[in-house]
Amino acid sequence: MSPLEIAAVVITLAAVYLTTRQVIACWPLAMVGVALYGLVFYEAKLYADMGLQGLYFAMSAYGWWAWSHGGEGGGELPVSRTTRGAWLLLAGGGALASITLGQTLSRTTDASLPFLDSTLTAFSVVAQWMQTRKQLDAWAIWIVLNVFYVGMFLYKELYPTAGLYAVFIVLAVSGFIQWRRSMNTSENGSGLAAARS
C-alpha cells in the first residue's frame, strides 16, 4: 500500500461519486485519478489496466465536453438508454478487444492475469464510453466489472484499490438509481410539454 495508491483511491472515489450526481467536475478530477492509477498499475505489472488509464484520460476529456455540449442543439446531454444496435456493436467490440489484447499480452509481456486483465479492460472502455454519453446502462456494466476487479486486486494484494472497487459497486448501484430517476424526470417533463402543445 503506497502513498501513490492511496492518493489515486481518494481522488478516483471522489470523481465517481460526482459522476453519480452528474456533476461535471467529475471529469477533470477523473483525469488526475487515472494519471495516478497509470503509475500504480505499471508497478503492479497490470499493463492492460495501465494502458486503460490513458484511454480513460482521453475519454474523460471527451466526457467533460459531451456532458456540456453533446445534447440537442449543443446543450446539456440528458441521460438515455443504449439502443439495441449500439449494444451489439459495443459487446462485439469488447469481446474482440478482450481476445486480441489477452493474446498479445500473454505472448509478448510478463503481464499478470493477461486474459482477465484484458477482458476487464476492454469492457471498462465500453462502460466508460457509455458513461461519457450519459447512457444509464453503463452503471449495470460497471457493477459486474467491479465485482471481478475486486477479486483481481485482492489477488494482486492491491488492498486499497480492492476496497475502492468494492465501494465502486455501491456507487454504481447509486448511480444507476440516480440516473434512472433523472431520465424518468426528463421523459415525464417532455411528455407533459408535448401534451400541453
Side-chain angles (χ1 to χ4, degrees):
M1 175 168 42
S2 70
L4 179 65
E5 185 182 3
I6 292 169
V9 165
V10 170
I11 291 169
T12 304
L13 185 59
V16 172
Y17 174 77
L18 292 176
T19 304
T20 69
R21 303 293 181 193
Q22 299 183 60
V23 176
I24 200 162
C26 67
W27 295 113
L29 198 58
M31 292 167 81
V32 175
V34 299
L36 295 176
Y37 260 117
L39 299 171
V40 170
F41 292 142
Y42 174 76
E43 292 175 358
K45 296 185 178 182
L46 292 170
Y47 301 130
D49 272 305
M50 180 191 73
L52 178 60
Q53 303 314 300
L55 283 175
Y56 277 166
F57 191 91
M59 292 173 85
S60 294
Y62 171 73
W64 195 355
W65 175 86
W67 279 27
S68 301
H69 307 290
E72 191 174 326
E76 185 179 339
L77 189 66
V79 176
S80 63
R81 296 301 297 250
T82 308
T83 65
R84 185 173 293 141
W87 269 119
L88 291 172
L89 284 172
L90 292 168
L96 181 61
S98 298
I99 294 165
T100 304
L101 185 57
Q103 288 286 345
T104 301
L105 291 178
S106 70
R107 291 179 180 168
T108 62
T109 72
D110 61 346
S112 179
L113 308 170
F115 289 99
L116 176 61
D117 189 25
S118 295
T119 300
L120 294 175
T121 296
F123 283 95
S124 291
V125 171
V126 167
Q128 185 71 11
W129 170 255
M130 293 166 71
Q131 204 160 36
T132 66
R133 300 302 308 157
K134 273 197 185 176
Q135 293 177 355
L136 174 66
D137 308 296
W139 291 114
I141 295 174
W142 281 125
I143 292 166
V144 174
L145 291 173
N146 289 333
V147 168
F148 284 97
Y149 268 123
V150 168
M152 183 176 74
F153 293 136
L154 287 173
Y155 177 77
K156 291 300 295 180
E157 299 180 2
L158 295 170
Y159 300 119
T161 300
L164 173 66
Y165 278 71
V167 173
F168 281 171
I169 296 168
V170 175
L171 287 174
V173 171
S174 173
F176 185 87
I177 292 166
Q178 296 289 331
W179 283 29
R180 183 174 58 189
R181 187 177 298 141
S182 173
M183 186 178 73
N184 290 341
T185 301
S186 177
E187 287 174 353
N188 290 338
S190 298
L192 287 174
R196 288 179 184 142
S197 58

